[in-house]
Amino acid sequence: AVGNLVGKQFAKDSKFQPKLQLAYHWTKDLMLYSTWAKGFRSGFFNTGRSTRAEQTDNVEIGFKQTAHAGRVQINGAVFYTDYSDQQLTSAIAQAPFRVTTNIPKSTIKGAEFDITAKVGQRLKINAALGYIDTEINDIHLNTPATPDWTANVGILHSQAIDNGINWINRLDYIYQGEMYLHLEAPPLASEYRQRFWVDAKEYLNIRSSIELKNWRFSAFVNNVLQTQQATDFTDFGGKFVRSYNKPRAWGIAAEYRF
């Protein structure tokens, strides 16, 4: 072993986290709002290395609207985050095998939109679309594990059968845009480098349930499309080690509500 043993390490972090939110009801069906807040996550020790606390300044402006006698709900927002000392953990080939560092300054800006609609008495549809643009200041690279576009669509159909029995079916489609997983940062490299890109992915989940009084019996299939995606990436001296998401899985479940 190389280095000196450390029996105890101590650090103390604290931060005031104010939040201010203003809302204005333009009409009885439309609300506008704005939010300003500070975020904070304490630092930590990782195999003797001290990682600084991270902080954010967040601004969000958005709206919430209902239409067609409450059968349609529409939400939208734009946001901006100023990120200081974002914590980053990377795996390395030498002991202690994981090293932590801080990204000094980065910014996050984006927009999100979602809609939920009731179609008739039995069908409910929801959809959402999000865009996010990140940049690490000074080096002009985006942050790891952050897809630029995300989207999802959910369809829920309910059918009354007989004697208080309901049959409910739900389908969820999820889209995740391209991203990279590993930011090789000093002192691991002479400069910051983006590594291991992941292509855009699509997921599909299905669930069918029978509700009877306080009971719910369900059957489900997750990741119907058998989508495979790396969720973590490590370069051990030219040999790559990856962690992957769960493959297609099915199951049954029983719930009782008190």
Side-chain angles (χ1 to χ4, degrees), residues 210-217 254-257:
I210 294 291
E211 291 187 343
L212 172 61
K213 294 184 179 179
N214 293 358
W215 284 97
R216 174 184 288 180
F217 302 94
E255 303 172 58
Y256 182 82
R257 296 187 297 274

Side-chain angles (χ1 to χ4, degrees), residues 49-52 88-96 98-104 182-193:
R49 185 185 181 94
S50 176
T51 303
R52 296 189 300 274
L88 178 68
T89 301
S90 303
I92 57 176
Q94 299 82 27
R98 296 196 74 85
V99 63
T100 59
T101 187
N102 293 91
I103 299 174
H182 184 72
L183 179 65
E184 193 170 22
L188 303 180
S190 59
E191 59 183 18
Y192 287 94
R193 292 190 297 172

Side-chain angles (χ1 to χ4, degrees), residues 65-254:
Q65 182 174 19
T66 57
H68 300 288
R71 300 182 66 84
V72 177
Q73 174 73 51
I74 304 172
N75 304 315
V78 293
F79 54 87
Y80 176 87
T81 299
D82 186 5
Y83 221 135
S84 299
D85 289 324
Q86 183 177 358
Q87 296 165 356
L88 178 68
T89 301
S90 303
I92 57 176
Q94 299 82 27
F97 303 111
R98 296 196 74 85
V99 63
T100 59
T101 187
N102 293 91
I103 299 174
K105 283 286 187 179
S106 58
T107 56
I108 301 172
K109 52 189 175 183
E112 53 191 14
F113 175 86
D114 67 83
I115 181 171
T116 300
K118 294 180 180 179
V119 183
Q121 297 299 318
R122 302 174 182 172
L123 189 64
K124 185 176 181 180
I125 300 174
N126 65 275
L129 178 67
Y131 174 75
I132 188 168
D133 178 30
T134 66
E135 183 179 16
I136 302 173
N137 299 17
D138 299 328
I139 63 174
H140 307 297
L141 298 176
N142 57 322
T143 57
T146 310
D148 49 0
W149 288 98
T150 56
N152 64 76
V153 177
I155 301 175
L156 185 147
H157 181 268
S158 60
Q159 174 72 52
I161 300 177
D162 194 18
N163 296 326
I165 300 175
N166 293 316
W167 184 24
I168 302 172
N169 295 287
R170 183 172 181 89
L171 180 147
D172 286 289
Y173 167 83
I174 303 167
Y175 171 84
Q176 175 185 281
E178 183 187 43
M179 64 179 178
Y180 76 97
L181 293 180
H182 184 72
L183 179 65
E184 193 170 22
L188 303 180
S190 59
E191 59 183 18
Y192 287 94
R193 292 190 297 172
Q194 296 169 308
R195 304 196 64 192
F196 201 78
W197 285 86
V198 176
D199 294 334
K201 301 291 182 179
E202 295 177 287
Y203 297 88
L204 187 67
N205 301 324
I206 298 175
R207 176 178 288 265
S208 182
S209 303
I210 294 291
E211 291 187 343
L212 172 61
K213 294 184 179 179
N214 293 358
W215 284 97
R216 174 184 288 180
F217 302 94
S218 304
F220 62 88
V221 182
N222 293 332
N223 196 4
V224 175
L225 304 177
Q226 193 74 325
T227 302
Q228 188 178 48
Q229 177 196 321
T231 57
D232 194 11
F233 166 78
T234 304
D235 182 356
F236 282 100
K239 296 182 179 180
F240 301 149
V241 177
R242 308 179 184 112
S243 299
Y244 284 93
N245 65 308
K246 293 182 179 180
R248 182 189 298 133
W250 64 271
I252 56 176

